[in-house]
Every structure is written in structure tokens, then in C-alpha cells.
Amino acid sequence: MARKLVIVESPSKAKTIEKILGRNYEVVASYGHVIDLPKTKIGIDVENNFEPQYKVIKGKGEVLKKLKEKAKSANAVYLASDQDREGEAIAWHISNYIKQPDKVKRIEFNEITKTAVNNAIKNPRDINDNLVNAQQARRLLDRIVGYKISPLLWKIINRNASAGRVQSVALKLICDLEDEINAFVPQKYWEVSALIEKDINLNLVKIADEKVDKIFDEKVVKKLKKDLKNESLTLEKIEVKKKSQRPPLVFKTSTLQQLASSYLGYGASKTMRIAQQLYEGLAINGENKGLITYMRTDSTRISVDALNMAKDYITKNYGEKYVGKYIVKNSKSNVQDAHEGIRPSDINLVPDNIKAYLTNDQYRLYKLIWDRFLVSQFAAMQYEQMQINAVNGDYNFRGTINKVIFDGYYKIFKDEDEIKTGDFPELKEGNVHPIDKLNVEEGITKPPTRFSEATLVKKLESEGIGRPSTYASIVETLKSREYVELIEKRFHPTYLGYEVKDELVKNFKDIMNVKFTANMEKELDKVEEGTVEWIQLLRTFYGSLEKDIDKFEKEIDEIKNRRIVSDVLDSEGNPMILKTGLYGKYLISETNENEKISLKGIAISPEALKKGEVFVKEEVEKLQNNKKGILTDYFDEEGNRYVLKVGRFGEYLESENYEKDEKRMSLPAELKQKYKKGAVIELDGVLQINDEMKRLQEIDRKIIEEAGVCEFCGKPYEIKTGRFGKFLACTGYPECKTIKNIKTGKVTRVTEKAEKAKKTTKKATKKTTAKAKSTSIKAKKAVATRKSTAKKSK
């Protein structure tokens, strides 16, 4: 048995660290969190100082027992979980379970390299109670909001509705932006510039000492054209200033997620998953190496060692004059100085040199991080700027020309904000130059752009909502709960999203207040600093929340007891009644309970519910017609016509004669996006998709043709659509389980072992789902029993 035990979260991290430390150390994994609040109940004793009722996570009992046994035999135990609040909490839980206080020490490192790990071993510390309490406070706050409010939403929306302390505010931001877009009224405007000396462009900036950007009054434009026709401009002032532009800073979590989304098309969760792999370590030339520093950080600080590493690399490859002469310090008071920005652990591990050891996704993200770090350590670009001010009566024009005097970081990188440069013209103050051309460009104001994953993360960060470790989970929750849908990589709120947002805004103003949520993050930071007591923070928050919950419960009881009639008639000609069930709002006949109509996807205003009368006949008819399908102009090779239908997993095509031929096919992703955007033409009730379908099918045909036949059985390939998009699959399935990547041509043969593992996972998932359903049924029965008992006692 090794004399010293190191406990980390993941096996890959353990493997990398064990090779660094050598044979006197045993490094084992806890496989993430081992102890948490229970899943089936709130798990917080609110009346007893918010005492959390922690439980060993299902499946982690054996892991903890092994850790405890190994800890008993070891001379020293080092808890090396991640260096954020969550990692500190994991270390705390493990320490409490193994009960070896004299042996246990906490170590942390920003990167998994020999130097960093050995330094951490030499400088252990005690578990930071403030960090643990900050994590406990966040966990309990989120649990209280979710478990106290969500069941109330179920009663008036559906079982998929939920509240989250941070996710709900993010949803509000998306819905508010959508409202702004819908309320937007476009305006016509004009922008004016003048061309002198053929290529010097000057923009109109003032009219009669009043600043001008866009002109919205056409009369002003007409007068301007008349006044400046065949006129000249006098050069009032020419000034040359020396300026510089620093390179972009090293990545922090939010900027990494934003750039990975913009440049690579990766979602926030995918970015963090790949970054975790790069941090924990990969086999490079037979040796496990951590390639980047810790990826959950809001710091842009760089260590002195890393600065020197970058300095040496830049000096060697570009020359000493290209080395940046500055050190980035953190601007936020709540950023721990121990945290660095995200950078490569070793700049000499050039992405292209180790590409063969990485997957394509790993390579692309590593290259993005490596390039950004290198650029951030370059010298600033220096330039001279000529500022030209010219006048004609009341009209003032201004322009700038930039001339690079030292390229600095521009030598290797120019972003979208690149400064346009050129040579300075020979101009003198007081000279008069004829206007060669007066440019008057007409435009129309555009509504705000919807959030992408990148811009939503940027907005959350700028508003102080959430922290680096939460951005990805916020985005994933919004998508998985179906509060939003991504159309062309932009967030569109769904009916359900709006419904949840409206109820929360109406009844929980604090939770849905952006400033309140941002302030709560600051309070959690104060808990981490040790200046705020975490139980008191929970007590203050809960006291206010409890009042809102009591008020909301009374309102729900009132809504439940209200009779709301609709303009939809049942089979006997009587108005159907609106009800709310497990799956949302629906209409039901008062005389025949089997006669029901789901209202999923139909928005009903709170005002209509208050009046007790809803008008949904038109929407219901449209919904029912959609179930029948929308006729398209697409026919297959056998002459079968298809209708567009919407199912559980979105839009698909079904043969008009489905009952006989049972023909269905998925709607191609490109067409699906166009349909959602309303960009598919409909003529006389027929969707025009034939030309696009034929075009996409021709593309697929060429892909199959170029793929050739299966390398193992000789049968042709066919195109399938999986979780990660299109791929080629052998038509010899199930005997031959060969798949091929369309982009790279990489062939993978699914072995019996892999197939067996897949089936085992599926069985486990089904078992878990069945158990969850069983638990849910038992819970419902228990609630019904309590209600029945309460009625009898009354």
C-alpha cells in the first residue's frame, strides 16, 4: 500500500497525477460528488437553522468505503479536488466521511504539471470553511427555490415547469428581449459622408453644433443635399496623435465559451466538457499531460512563471521587441488571486505538433486557448492617428486615418475590431477641398438581435448573474426544460417559457429581479471572504420568499376553484371547461370526461383566466389541423405524397397513405430551421418543399457515392442522423455495425463489447426512469392520502 494517498475527482486526472508523483503515492478518484442533498425531498431542515440533510449519492457508497479503507492505511491523505467552491465542498464531504482529521490536508493546483503538483504537495493547507459555506449557501438557496416554487408551478402550468434561482432570471432576459423585438417599430434613417481628394472619407458629425449620427428627418437630408451641392470643405483642424492597441486578454470561462461558440460553433456545455479533458490530462507521446490551466475562472491574471514562459517563446520565435511589457491584474475584488486565466500549461506544446494525440474537438479548442494566450503576451500594436476636422457653414465633418508604426500583436493576429490603416495624405489646415462626392446612404433601423449561447453568457456575466461554473448548466437547463428553442443558433422563448416567466415575475419579484440576483452573488462572495454568515444569509432570503409563497398558494387555490369556460364546444354543443393537469392546460367536457383537448402550445393570458372566459377556438382548430398534417408538394420516387406533421421530437414527413405504406422520414435540419422561422412558402395551403428536398437528397446521394462500400463487408453505406448530426452507416446492419464520419472519413466498427455496454447503459437508464416514475406515483398517492385524511378530520 502506498504511504501517501491523493484523492481527486476523475480517473483521467488521477492517472495524470499518479505518473507525476511516482510510486510513493496512490492517486484515486471519487468520480465527482459523493455526498449531496437527497433527490426525492428538499433535504433542508428550515426550522433548525437550515440544517442540510446530506446523503451519500446512490452508487457512491462503495467508492466512499474504499476511500475510507485506503485513508486508514495511508500516512497522509491529500484532497486534490478542483480549486473552486464546488471542489472545496467535495473535499469537505470526503474528509467528514473518512474521519482522519490528523492525516487530511487540502491541496490545490491551477494546472496539472510536475511543478504545480509538487508545489501543492509541499504547501498543503486546511479545508477552507468559508469556501465550503459559500458553496453550501448557493446549493441550499438553489434547492429552496427549486423545491418550494416548482411544485406550485406544476399546479397551474404543467409538470415540466420549474423555477431556478439563476435560470429563471436568464429566461426573463430572453423573454424581455423577445418582447423588445416584437414591439420594435423600424425607422428610416440617413447617414451622410463626404469624399475629398478622391479617397478621403469624412463623416458628418454635427449640424449647427448639434451632434449627428443618423438623421431621421428627410427634410434635413433634402436641405443638406441642396446646401452642399457643388460645395467644398475647409480643413479646420488636422492633428496627429500617437496611439496603441493592446492585445486581447487571456481567456476566462465566459470569454472562452463565447469565442468557442463564435469561432468553433461549440455550445457552452461542450466547450466545458472538452476543456475539462484538456485540463485533466491526455496521453501525449506516451506520457499523460495536463494541457491547460483550470477552466472555471473569472480571472485574467497570469503567473510570473507563465509570463516568463511566454516571453522566452516570443523572443525565440519573433524577437524580443514583440514581448509585451505588462502584467494583467484582476479588476474584480471577488476574484481569488490564486486563480489564473485559462492558458496552456506548456507553451512549447504547440497545437499542430501534438494534433495527432488529440481528437479534432480537443485540437480545435486547445488551439483556440493556445493562440489566445500567445497573442495576449505580445507587445501592443502602435500607430499614429491623423484626425481631420472639416467644415462648411453649419456642417461639421470628421475622419481619421491610421498608420501603423509597430505591428506588435498584429504580426500574428487581427480580430474583427482590426484598425484600418493606410498612409497619411498631404493635408494642411485652412486648405479648401471640393467635395468629390456626397454620400447619402439610406437605411432602416433593425430590431435587437436575439441571444446566442455566446451573447447570453456575455449578458449574464455583465449583469453579475451566475459564476463561471454555472453558465453552461444555465444554458442546458433552459434547453432541456423546453423554455427556449434554438433557431439558427439563436434563443427563441417557447409558450412554456413565457408562461413560467410570467407566473414567476407576477409572484416572485425578488427572484426575477436581475439586480437582486446579482446582489445575491455578491453576498455569496462575502460568505467566501468570511464577512457574511451563511446561515443568516439563508434566513434573510427565506423570510422574504416565504411571504411570496404563501400569497401564491392562496392565488393558486382561487384559480383551481374558478370555473373557466371556453368558446370551444363539446360534441353535445356545450362550452368546454379549461383545466390544468400534469401535462399542462386542457379543455374538458363537463358531461363527458373522456372528451379532452390539449392546449399545449396555445398562449392564454392571465387576464382571460381572471375573467373566467378564454377564446381559443381558432388556435385549437389550427392545432388539430396540424395534427392531421400540412400538405406539401413533395412526392417520393414511387409517387407517394407527403404531409408535414409535428411530433414529440419536432417536425417530420409522413406519407398521405401512411396506414397502408407506413412511410415516414425526418425533415432535414435545414428545412426544419426554415419552417420554424416561417421561411417556407405556402401556396393554397400546400408547403413548397419539393425543390429543397430534392437538392438535399442529391447532396446525400453524392456523399454515399463518394463513401463507396463498407470496408468490412462490402455493402453500400446509407446516411443516418444521430445525436451529433449525420453519419454513414453500413446497410449490412445488424450483422455489420460499421459507421463512417462524413467529414473525416474515419471508419469505426462497433464491437460486441461496445454494443453490450450500450445495452447495459440503456437498461440502467430504463430502470432509473421506471424507478423515478414509481417514486412519483407513490408521492402522488401520499399527497392524495393526506388530502383525504385532512378532509375527514374536518
Side-chain angles (χ1 to χ4, degrees):
M1 196 73 184
R3 287 184 291 114
K4 295 174 182 177
L5 179 71
V6 180
I7 301 173
V8 298
E9 291 115 319
S10 74
S12 56
K13 191 175 177 181
K15 193 176 177 183
T16 307
I17 294 170
E18 195 161 52
K19 288 197 174 181
I20 290 170
L21 291 174
R23 61 184 179 181
N24 288 329
Y25 291 82
E26 183 181 9
V27 187
V28 292
S30 69
Y31 294 86
H33 283 279
V34 285
I35 291 170
D36 197 6
L37 295 170
K39 280 190 174 183
T40 53
K41 59 180 181 177
I42 189 168
I44 302 168
D45 188 349
V46 175
E47 303 300 323
N48 187 23
N49 276 336
F50 298 90
E51 182 70 31
Q53 298 162 353
Y54 290 121
K55 301 282 182 188
V56 174
I57 295 171
K58 190 176 179 183
K60 293 296 179 77
E62 285 302 312
V63 173
L64 278 169
K65 281 178 187 175
K66 283 179 184 176
L67 292 179
K68 194 170 186 176
E69 285 170 15
K70 288 178 184 291
K72 279 181 183 178
S73 309
N75 293 337
V77 179
Y78 297 99
L79 300 174
S81 46
D82 290 344
Q83 58 172 359
D84 53 12
R85 293 173 186 168
E86 207 166 342
E88 202 72 16
I90 291 172
W92 179 70
H93 282 304
I94 292 172
S95 176
N96 289 342
Y97 186 88
I98 62 178
K99 293 186 173 119
Q100 298 287 328
D102 296 332
K103 295 180 184 179
V104 168
K105 285 291 177 185
R106 173 81 167 107
I107 60 170
E108 61 177 359
F109 30 78
N110 187 51
E111 55 189 336
I112 305 176
T113 59
K114 191 170 186 177
T115 303
V117 172
N118 284 326
N119 281 342
I121 292 285
K122 288 174 188 174
N123 300 285
R125 61 169 174 82
D126 293 329
I127 288 171
N128 186 325
D129 290 335
N130 291 336
L131 267 175
V132 173
N133 291 338
Q135 175 59 22
Q136 286 196 98
R138 176 185 288 281
R139 186 77 183 95
L140 269 59
L141 282 169
D142 292 345
R143 175 56 69 100
I144 287 167
V145 170
Y147 272 67
K148 287 286 185 180
I149 300 176
S150 297
L152 302 178
L153 294 175
W154 299 344
K155 293 178 182 179
I156 57 171
I157 298 176
N158 68 36
R159 289 287 294 191
N160 204 34
S162 73
R165 187 180 61 84
V166 180
Q167 96 199 19
S168 298
V169 179
L171 175 61
K172 182 180 184 293
L173 291 173
I174 292 169
C175 291
D176 287 351
L177 180 59
E178 191 70 20
D179 291 340
E180 201 178 326
I181 292 166
N182 292 333
F184 180 80
V185 178
Q187 281 183 284
K188 193 185 285 188
Y189 68 86
W190 292 264
E191 289 178 316
V192 179
S193 65
L195 205 66
I196 62 169
E197 295 297 306
K198 295 182 181 179
D199 61 352
I200 301 172
N201 194 61
L202 306 176
N203 297 314
L204 179 68
V205 291
K206 280 184 183 178
I207 299 177
D209 292 328
E210 191 175 323
K211 285 185 179 180
V212 171
D213 179 21
K214 293 179 173 69
I215 301 171
F216 291 94
D217 189 342
E218 194 169 2
K219 290 177 185 175
V220 174
V221 177
K222 284 178 179 177
K223 184 178 184 303
L224 183 148
K225 284 181 177 178
K226 186 180 176 183
D227 292 346
L228 295 177
K229 189 177 181 182
N230 300 322
E231 284 291 321
S232 301
L233 293 177
T234 301
L235 302 184
E236 186 179 56
K237 188 178 181 182
I238 297 172
E239 194 175 7
V240 176
K241 292 182 177 179
K242 285 192 175 181
K243 294 198 168 193
S244 66
Q245 179 161 303
R246 285 175 58 169
L249 296 174
V250 71
F251 282 133
K252 52 186 177 177
T253 304
S254 59
T255 51
L256 175 63
Q257 290 177 1
Q258 289 161 40
L259 269 291
S261 175
S262 303
Y263 290 176
L264 309 179
Y266 294 172
S269 58
K270 180 177 180 178
T271 298
M272 296 312 287
R273 185 175 68 250
I274 299 166
Q276 185 87 34
Q277 294 163 5
L278 297 173
Y279 166 69
E280 290 180 350
L282 298 166
I284 307 294
N285 200 20
E287 185 182 347
N288 266 55
K289 292 185 178 183
L291 295 182
I292 64 168
T293 53
Y294 192 55
M295 62 284 152
R296 291 186 182 91
T297 175
D298 51 7
S299 167
T300 51
R301 187 184 70 80
I302 298 297
S303 70
V304 174
D305 287 345
L307 289 171
N308 289 332
M309 174 176 70
K311 180 182 177 181
D312 292 344
Y313 185 89
I314 294 169
T315 302
K316 182 182 175 184
N317 292 280
Y318 300 95
E320 194 174 349
K321 65 180 180 178
Y322 283 99
V323 176
K325 304 289 191 285
Y326 37 77
I327 296 175
V328 177
K329 293 182 180 179
N330 291 322
S331 57
K332 293 183 181 178
S333 60
N334 63 338
V335 178
Q336 282 189 299
D337 194 56
H339 290 189
E340 280 191 66
I342 305 166
R343 61 168 177 80
S345 303
D346 182 357
I347 202 167
N348 295 302
L349 289 173
V350 179
D352 287 343
N353 292 349
I354 61 170
K355 188 176 181 179
Y357 303 103
L358 310 178
T359 66
N360 189 48
D361 285 341
Q362 289 168 347
Y363 163 74
R364 293 178 76 201
L365 191 67
Y366 178 62
K367 188 175 188 325
L368 191 70
I369 294 166
W370 190 92
D371 287 347
R372 179 68 165 233
F373 172 62
L374 180 64
V375 167
S376 75
Q377 298 310 301
F378 256 69
M381 186 274 282
Q382 294 171 14
Y383 63 102
E384 289 181 341
Q385 185 177 80
M386 177 183 276
Q387 298 174 351
I388 307 162
N389 283 284
V391 295
N392 181 305
D394 287 340
Y395 302 105
N396 192 308
F397 288 80
R398 186 178 299 154
T400 58
I401 299 170
N402 303 302
K403 182 171 73 174
V404 174
I405 54 177
F406 174 61
D407 55 359
Y409 80 94
Y410 265 37
K411 188 172 185 69
I412 60 167
F413 175 80
K414 293 178 184 178
D415 60 14
E416 55 272 11
D417 298 323
E418 177 190 347
I419 293 172
K420 292 180 181 177
T421 60
D423 293 326
F424 287 165
E426 291 185 16
L427 299 173
K428 289 183 180 179
E429 288 180 6
N431 282 3
V432 178
H433 294 267
I435 297 173
D436 294 330
K437 186 181 180 184
L438 188 69
N439 296 312
V440 180
E441 292 185 9
E442 184 182 305
I444 295 176
T445 55
K446 293 180 180 178
T449 307
R450 290 180 179 89
F451 290 119
S452 63
E453 283 200 22
T455 55
L456 179 61
V457 167
K458 189 175 182 179
K459 178 68 173 175
L460 291 172
E461 185 188 31
S462 68
E463 294 287 358
I465 298 167
R467 283 294 177 262
S469 59
T470 64
Y471 297 139
S473 62
I474 291 168
V475 171
E476 286 308 305
T477 301
L478 291 174
K479 290 193 288 188
S480 65
R481 289 283 178 183
E482 297 179 356
Y483 296 156
V484 297
E485 58 180 342
L486 275 174
I487 300 174
E488 292 188 342
K489 296 187 177 180
R490 297 281 170 181
F491 286 116
H492 292 245
T494 61
Y495 285 124
L496 176 61
Y498 260 115
E499 215 173 350
V500 170
K501 187 271 296 184
D502 288 342
E503 287 297 339
L504 291 174
V505 167
K506 187 172 69 174
N507 297 288
F508 299 95
K509 288 184 170 59
D510 280 349
I511 286 174
M512 296 301 282
N513 184 295
V514 172
K515 287 182 180 176
F516 177 87
T517 307
N519 188 57
M520 184 58 70
E521 294 293 352
K522 289 177 184 174
E523 291 298 301
L524 289 168
D525 290 335
K526 288 177 184 176
V527 172
E528 183 175 326
E529 292 160 9
T531 57
V532 167
E533 210 279 313
W534 73 288
I535 298 294
Q536 186 56 47
L537 175 64
L538 289 168
R539 196 176 286 126
T540 305
F541 174 81
Y542 189 73
S544 173
L545 179 68
E546 201 170 23
K547 291 173 188 174
D548 289 339
I549 288 172
D550 290 342
K551 189 179 173 185
F552 191 27
E553 282 178 330
K554 287 173 186 174
E555 190 178 314
I556 289 169
D557 289 339
E558 192 183 314
I559 292 169
K560 284 284 185 183
N561 295 325
R562 195 182 296 154
R563 184 174 179 272
I564 302 167
V565 297
S566 75
D567 59 341
V568 179
L569 305 180
D570 64 14
S571 56
E572 294 181 11
N574 300 315
M576 297 184 81
I577 306 302
L578 184 137
K579 296 280 184 184
T580 303
L582 289 176
Y583 305 106
K585 291 181 174 59
Y586 63 94
L587 299 178
I588 188 167
S589 167
E590 284 190 294
T591 56
N592 180 6
E593 63 179 21
N594 293 321
E595 201 173 332
K596 294 178 183 177
I597 299 171
S598 169
L599 296 181
K600 186 179 180 182
I602 296 176
I604 297 166
S605 69
E607 292 78 17
L609 294 174
K610 269 189 178 180
K611 287 179 182 177
E613 200 173 15
V614 295
F615 298 92
V616 291
K617 186 179 178 182
E618 197 176 315
E619 287 92 336
V620 166
E621 286 175 353
K622 190 178 177 181
L623 208 64
Q624 290 175 332
N625 286 333
N626 284 348
K627 282 183 181 177
K628 292 175 188 173
I630 304 168
L631 204 61
T632 76
D633 66 341
Y634 172 66
F635 291 80
D636 65 18
E637 291 175 352
E638 294 170 11
N640 297 301
R641 189 172 192 163
Y642 283 76
V643 292
L644 178 78
K645 289 193 171 185
V646 181
R648 186 181 166 195
F649 302 107
E651 295 78 10
Y652 65 95
L653 294 171
E654 183 177 283
S655 166
E656 269 190 309
N657 302 312
Y658 178 75
E659 289 183 8
K660 291 181 180 178
D661 60 30
E662 295 185 345
K663 287 190 172 183
R664 274 182 186 156
M665 65 176 75
S666 59
L667 190 69
E670 288 178 47
L671 255 176
K672 194 176 280 192
Q673 291 288 319
K674 284 185 179 180
Y675 177 72
K676 284 182 176 180
K677 276 186 73 183
V680 177
I681 298 167
E682 190 174 325
L683 291 176
D684 300 323
V686 179
L687 282 175
Q688 306 296 301
I689 65 168
N690 184 65
D691 291 346
E692 187 68 3
M693 283 292 292
K694 300 292 185 191
R695 183 184 74 82
L696 294 170
Q697 285 171 348
E698 178 60 21
I699 291 170
D700 286 354
R701 188 192 64 76
K702 284 182 180 177
I703 290 170
I704 292 168
E705 192 178 289
E706 287 171 11
V709 295
C710 174
E711 288 77 357
F712 296 98
C713 72
K715 289 186 178 178
Y717 281 104
E718 62 181 338
I719 290 179
K720 297 271 188 181
T721 304
R723 187 179 165 194
F724 303 107
K726 286 183 175 182
F727 65 94
L728 290 160
C730 177
T731 52
Y733 183 87
E735 286 77 22
C736 180
K737 299 182 178 76
T738 305
I739 59 174
K740 194 174 195 177
N741 187 300
I742 291 174
K743 289 181 182 176
T744 64
K746 185 180 177 182
V747 176
T748 307
R749 199 175 189 188
V750 182
T751 62
E752 285 184 23
K753 189 178 178 182
E755 194 74 11
K756 193 176 179 182
K758 193 176 177 183
K759 284 178 182 176
T760 306
T761 306
K762 276 188 177 179
K763 278 183 183 178
T765 306
K766 281 182 181 178
K767 196 175 178 182
T768 306
T769 307
K771 192 161 185 182
K773 283 182 180 177
S774 172
T775 306
S776 177
I777 291 164
K778 284 177 184 176
K780 285 173 199 169
K781 283 181 179 178
V783 170
T785 305
R786 284 200 298 272
K787 283 182 178 177
S788 175
T789 308
K791 281 181 183 178
K792 285 177 184 178
S793 64
K794 282 180 183 178

